């Protein structure tokens, strides 16, 4: 603790003697040119050694990408890698997944075949700088009833990505990333919603959701507009909302019955261990003994 | 000095990504927490820590920049783009018409008469109605509030809008390019000044931030203007009660406007040759006084 304080004080002292606001910036801007070159050179070396060590296992797909990438100059390739990283960051800021199509349209243009090379390098950069990586969103999951027809394409992948924190789990449990009370509350609510969906058999109807929230005194609360919040969670990919296929919902016939499930982003981003802790805290003795397994099953995440 | 890039740096960056603009006190708190959480040995001092992060960020045209809140002098940091490309525009949470409106507001503010650097709500809303498609009064009010909430504009108690420190920092490149003959630089710190003091002598070019003026004059006995050497007496720059209403004569010339408009319409992401200009500008920002 005392060393921490000392560090703080050193920082402030340094700052006092600083002549003006733009100095640290300028220093790094100047210093950067050299560092950037070094890095570029290092990266090229890595590339070469990688290429030679992987030679045996290179599949056809990556060969095509490598050939396409060779048509780009080093500067062009660097620019595209940079743009993919930036696109990923800005999409994340808006809580929107980044689509493969976006990368092609906005960054690669006629070099779409170089996708894999550019994408892999962008991944490396994201991991190195931010400790994050692009994770592909899982496909929508459906209840096993078989009533609902599977939606959409037959591809095995969604080709949509979100940024995932890959720093060790224990760092994430510190409160460093929570900024303001408000945001914390909203993430807390999201945890509640996801937990409710989970313990309810992985699906929750609109009415049930409202019912639970009324019990938690969160309906008609000044602070939250439940409807709006749920639609935000849907938009951000934390929740999936679908029309209910069951026909036995005679009451409430005016309103289209809806149901909620975990969205793709929740499966990737939700700190699973927190969720289990949270459910345990709420249900106490009543918590299902195989909670971990259940969460694992419902979220599709391997917890072990 | 050790400048190894560690998980503490990464954690700090992750934490700042959601906010992108904060006081130095918050930044230092985050910095302490980042080291506490990761238990990295031999931590860097704060200034070096940020410099190490910037070296990494510069490879993707981002940077942490420090500035001071014009009204209070509070040190603030922002994560800024160092190029004004198409992808950067995605970061804004606004529709194209909303962005157009914001740009018009900036123009009104910067070109306000008598270095007022502000615009009244009445004028701001009038501008909204002139847009095509026009923005209604109530939508305009909501949007203005969003600009304030998102820290792009400041609103005074009297309902006068001015540039926020976030805008000055993050849109520095754009501002300097579009309004290079109009924007004022602080004589002492060389940052853009839109709220502060100017020398009473009409021909004198001395302009100070309030906090820079205090720092300068508190440390000496003579109260002479550092530029014209005449006894210091000041006028106010910025919203001084009489909100800037009429645009000044020194409007951006056509050449500048066309260039800026063209830049905004560009759809090519890769095509950006402004980086070097930005570098040079940074290099010119002297800070010794
Ligand atoms: Zn100043
Ligand atoms: Zn003077």
């Amino acid at each position: 603790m005392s060393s921490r304080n000392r560090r703080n004080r050193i920082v402030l002292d340094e700052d006092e003697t600083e002549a003006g606001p733009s100095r640290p910036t300028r220093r790094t801007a100047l210093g950067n040119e050299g560092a950037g070159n070094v890095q570029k050179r290092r990266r090229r070396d890595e590339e070469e050694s990688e290429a030679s060590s992987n030679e045996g296992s290179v599949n056809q797909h990556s060969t095509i990408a490598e050939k396409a990438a060779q048509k780009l100059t080093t500067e062009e390739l660097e620019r595209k890698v940079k743009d993919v990283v930036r696109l990923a960051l800005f999409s994340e800021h808006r809580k929107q997944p980044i689509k493969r199509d976006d990368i092609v349209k906005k960054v690669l243009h006629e070099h779409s075949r170089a996708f894999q090379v550019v994408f892999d390098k962008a991944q490396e950069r994201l991991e190195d700088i931010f400790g994050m990586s692009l994770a592909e969103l899982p496909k929508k999951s459906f209840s096993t009833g078989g009533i609902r027809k599977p939606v959409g394409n037959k591809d095995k992948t969604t080709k949509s990505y979100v940024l995932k924190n890959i720093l060790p789990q224990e760092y994430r449990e510190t409160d460093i990333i929570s900024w303001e009370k408000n945001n914390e509350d909203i993430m807390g609510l999201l945890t509640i919603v996801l937990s409710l969906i989970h313990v309810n058999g992985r699906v929750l109807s609109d009415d049930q959701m409202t019912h639970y929230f009324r019990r938690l005194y969160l309906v008609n609360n000044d602070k939250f507009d439940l409807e709006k919040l749920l639609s935000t969670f849907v938009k951000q990919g934390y929740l999936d909302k679908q029309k209910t296929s069951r026909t036995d919902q005679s009451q409430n016939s005016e309103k289209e019955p809806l149901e909620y499930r975990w969205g793709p982003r929740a499966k990737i981003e939700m700190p699973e261990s927190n969720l289990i802790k949270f459910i345990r805290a709420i249900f106490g003795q009543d918590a299902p003994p195989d909670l971990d397994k259940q969460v694992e099953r419902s979220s599709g995440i391997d917890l072990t | 000095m050790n400048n190894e890039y560690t998980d503490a740096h990464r954690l700090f960056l992750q934490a700042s990504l959601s906010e992108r603009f904060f006081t130095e006190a918050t930044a230092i708190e985050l910095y302490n927490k980042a080291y506490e959480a990761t238990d990295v040995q031999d931590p860097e001092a704060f200034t070096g820590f940020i410099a190490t992060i910037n070296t990494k960020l510069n490879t993707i045209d981002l940077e942490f920049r420090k500035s001071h809140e014009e009204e209070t002098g509070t040190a603030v940091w922002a994560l800024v783009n160092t190029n004004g490309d198409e992808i950067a525009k995605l970061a804004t949470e606004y529709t194209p018409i909303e962005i157009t409106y914001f740009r018009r507001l900036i123009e009104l503010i910067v070109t306000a008469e008598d270095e007022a650097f502000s615009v009244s709500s009445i004028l701001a809303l009038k501008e909204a109605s002139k847009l095509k498609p026009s923005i209604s009064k109530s939508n305009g009010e909501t949007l203005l509030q969003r600009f304030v909430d998102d820290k792009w504009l400041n609103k005074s108690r009297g309902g006068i809008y001015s540039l926020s420190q976030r805008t000055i920092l993050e849109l520095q490149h754009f501002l300097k390019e579009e309004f290079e003959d109009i924007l004022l630089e602080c004589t002492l710190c060389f940052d853009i000044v839109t709220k502060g003091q100017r020398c009473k002598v009409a021909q004198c070019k001395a302009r100070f931030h309030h906090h820079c003026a205090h720092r300068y004059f508190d440390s000496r006995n003579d109260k002479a203007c550092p530029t014209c050497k005449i006894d210091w007496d000041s006028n106010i720059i910025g919203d001084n009660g009489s909100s800037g209403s009429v645009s000044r004569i020194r409007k951006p010339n056509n050449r500048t406007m066309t260039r800026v408009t063209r830049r905004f319409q560009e759809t090519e992401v890769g095509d950006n040759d402004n980086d070097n200009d930005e570098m040079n500008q940074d290099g010119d920002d002297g800070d010794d006084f």
Side-chain angles (χ1 to χ4, degrees):
Chain A
M1 199 61 206
S2 67
S3 77
R4 194 80 52 193
N5 287 339
R6 203 179 320 129
R7 190 199 302 149
N8 239 333
R9 197 158 52 238
I10 293 166
V11 164
L12 292 170
D13 287 347
E14 267 185 25
D15 190 44
E16 281 307 304
T17 57
E18 195 186 295
S22 54
R23 193 199 242 179
T25 301
R26 188 158 49 98
R27 197 191 298 132
T28 56
L30 293 175
N32 172 49
E33 215 175 84
N37 285 339
V38 170
Q39 211 175 9
K40 224 177 277 175
R41 211 175 313 124
R42 193 189 312 136
R43 210 169 298 121
R44 224 173 298 141
D45 293 345
E46 275 169 15
E47 227 172 88
E48 272 158 22
S49 68
E50 248 169 57
S52 56
S53 65
N54 285 350
E55 224 156 350
S57 62
V58 175
N59 60 37
Q60 207 183 359
H61 187 68
S62 64
T63 316
I64 292 169
E66 273 158 25
K67 267 188 193 147
Q70 277 162 15
K71 288 183 187 148
L72 295 161
T73 65
T74 315
E75 287 73 27
E76 281 170 334
L77 182 60
E78 166 66 17
R79 172 107 237 161
K80 295 204 183 300
V81 169
K82 184 193 289 190
D83 283 343
V84 172
V85 170
R86 289 165 59 85
L87 188 61
L89 290 174
F90 295 134
S91 302
E92 179 61 26
H93 195 60
R94 311 171 79 192
K95 289 272 181 199
Q96 283 177 354
I98 174 173
K99 296 197 189 77
R100 188 191 165 113
D101 281 353
D102 294 336
I103 295 177
V104 171
K105 259 186 236 149
K106 291 175 176 154
V107 180
L108 296 175
H109 307 294
E110 71 272 23
H111 300 284
S112 61
R113 281 164 167 250
F115 179 87
Q116 206 54 48
V117 171
V118 174
F119 186 84
D120 289 348
K121 286 183 183 301
Q123 278 290 37
E124 269 173 36
R125 201 77 66 88
L126 282 165
E127 284 170 21
D128 175 43
I129 303 179
F130 298 98
M132 297 194 294
S133 77
L134 286 166
E136 185 160 13
L137 291 174
K139 295 196 74 168
K140 285 190 178 184
S141 53
F142 298 97
S143 57
T144 45
I147 312 159
R148 217 161 290 108
K149 54 173 194 280
V151 179
N153 52 54
K154 284 170 189 142
D155 289 346
K156 284 189 189 114
T157 55
T158 56
K159 298 198 165 74
S160 278
Y161 309 87
V162 293
L163 278 177
K164 185 185 171 148
N165 186 350
I166 55 163
L167 293 180
Q169 177 76 31
E170 64 260 30
Y171 302 167
R172 286 189 251 166
E173 281 163 15
T174 61
D175 61 343
I176 184 165
I177 302 193
S178 58
W179 272 91
E180 39 194 345
K181 200 76 199 88
N182 187 31
N183 196 34
E184 228 169 86
D185 287 351
I186 287 174
M187 290 322 277
L189 271 180
L190 177 61
T191 313
I192 294 175
V193 170
L194 291 175
S195 308
L196 287 174
I197 293 175
H198 173 74
V199 296
N200 208 63
R202 288 166 253 165
V203 57
L204 203 59
S205 77
D206 215 9
D207 289 343
Q208 286 170 304
M209 185 82 82
T210 316
H211 170 76
Y212 279 123
F213 269 71
R214 195 169 288 132
R215 265 177 49 188
L216 292 164
Y217 300 103
L218 289 169
V219 167
N220 303 329
N221 183 313
D222 288 345
K223 269 167 84 188
F224 307 108
D225 179 342
L226 181 61
E227 291 276 310
K228 215 167 145 188
L229 201 65
L230 289 175
S231 77
T232 306
F233 288 154
V234 170
K235 221 185 290 166
Q236 295 176 342
Y238 287 113
L239 290 180
D240 269 345
K241 184 165 83 174
Q242 285 166 355
K243 281 176 199 163
T244 309
S245 52
R246 283 177 224 124
T247 45
D248 59 335
Q249 292 217 336
S250 44
Q251 11 127 289
N252 206 356
S253 57
E254 278 166 45
K255 222 173 92 187
E256 192 104 59
L258 296 166
E259 53 192 31
Y260 292 94
R261 285 184 175 72
W262 278 41
R265 187 186 282 272
K267 295 174 192 174
I268 284 191
E269 225 177 64
M270 215 43 211
E272 314 80 26
S273 58
N274 287 7
L275 191 68
I276 293 167
K277 260 185 245 163
F278 181 81
I279 296 174
R280 284 237 160 83
I282 285 193
F283 292 87
Q285 298 287 336
D286 300 333
D290 58 343
L291 189 60
D292 299 27
K293 281 234 165 56
Q294 281 197 36
V295 171
E296 198 172 301
R297 223 180 301 130
S298 83
S299 60
I301 300 163
D302 192 8
L303 290 178
T304 48
Chain B
M1 192 168 139
N2 114 61
N3 56 357
E4 201 194 331
Y5 197 73
T6 67
D7 279 349
H9 299 81
R10 295 184 183 100
L11 205 54
F12 179 90
L13 257 181
Q14 284 192 7
S16 26
L17 276 179
S18 60
E19 203 69 354
R20 302 160 70 99
F21 181 84
F22 33 82
T23 64
E24 184 159 81
T26 305
I28 290 173
E29 194 189 325
L30 273 185
Y31 149 86
N32 282 323
K33 279 187 180 173
Y35 271 124
E36 260 164 46
T38 53
D39 218 22
V40 169
Q41 298 302 305
D42 198 11
E44 282 186 288
F46 178 70
T47 321
F49 182 79
I50 297 285
T52 302
I53 289 177
N54 271 346
T55 307
K56 286 278 183 190
L57 282 180
N58 284 154
T59 67
I60 50 167
D61 296 345
L62 292 176
E63 183 165 284
F64 277 110
R65 267 190 209 160
K66 183 181 175 176
S67 177
H68 291 87
E69 216 51 273
E70 286 194 285
E71 269 155 284
T72 56
T74 307
V76 290
W77 285 90
L79 182 58
V80 304
N81 288 306
T82 55
N83 72 18
D85 67 7
E86 185 66 26
I87 282 181
K89 276 169 39 184
L90 277 175
T92 55
E93 308 251 339
Y94 301 98
T95 63
I97 186 72
E98 290 169 343
I99 292 171
T100 307
Y101 183 43
F102 182 61
R103 294 188 55 223
R104 297 285 272 279
L105 289 172
I106 289 185
E107 194 182 327
L108 282 177
I109 290 170
V110 174
T111 59
E113 200 174 47
D114 200 22
E115 300 180 6
F117 291 105
S118 53
V119 65
S120 69
S121 2
I122 295 167
L123 261 174
L125 289 170
K126 205 170 144 199
E127 194 64 24
S129 68
K130 285 194 227 159
L131 295 169
K132 285 183 184 119
S134 69
I135 295 175
S136 73
K137 187 166 178 276
S138 69
N139 284 345
E141 278 166 350
T142 315
L143 188 51
L144 281 167
Q145 191 53 48
R146 256 177 79 204
F147 290 142
V148 173
D149 291 343
D150 294 347
K151 298 182 193 154
W152 293 111
L153 291 180
N154 284 347
K155 187 183 185 182
S156 74
R157 246 177 255 157
I160 307 294
Y161 295 93
S162 58
L163 301 186
S164 71
Q165 203 56 37
R166 179 179 189 184
T167 293
I168 293 173
L169 259 172
E170 292 196 34
L171 305 183
Q172 202 174 93
H173 183 92
F174 164 76
L175 289 171
K176 281 184 177 167
E177 186 160 301
E178 183 157 12
F179 306 104
E180 57 179 332
D181 333 324
I182 302 178
L183 281 176
L184 304 173
E185 271 184 4
C186 173
T187 310
L188 297 171
C189 73
F190 296 96
D191 262 0
I192 292 173
V193 52
T194 71
K195 295 177 187 76
Q197 310 172 8
R198 65 174 189 235
C199 181
K200 260 263 163 73
V201 178
Q203 288 79 23
C204 181
K205 295 258 188 288
R207 301 287 184 276
F208 299 156
H209 289 116
H210 293 299
H211 59 268
C212 291
H214 289 151
R215 250 161 93 176
Y216 181 80
F217 288 116
D218 287 357
S219 65
R220 55 194 68 218
N221 298 322
D222 62 314
K223 299 285 178 205
C225 169
T227 304
C228 67
K229 315 290 178 208
I230 296 170
D231 278 355
W232 178 254
D233 195 2
S234 68
N235 279 329
I236 296 294
I237 304 169
D239 171 25
N240 53 7
S242 70
S243 70
S245 50
V246 194
S247 284
R248 277 186 290 161
I249 310 143
R250 284 189 297 156
K251 276 215 150 208
N253 60 37
N254 276 337
R255 188 187 56 82
T256 319
M257 282 310 274
T258 329
R259 189 164 37 121
V260 169
T261 313
R262 199 176 52 232
R263 203 160 64 81
F264 258 81
Q265 286 164 348
E266 268 174 11
T267 47
E268 269 288 285
V269 171
D271 178 21
N272 194 309
D273 33 22
N274 295 323
D275 296 8
N276 293 333
D277 298 348
E278 180 76 20
M279 274 304 198
N280 293 340
Q281 271 177 4
D282 284 348
D284 291 338
D285 277 351
D287 52 16
D288 36 312
F289 60 89

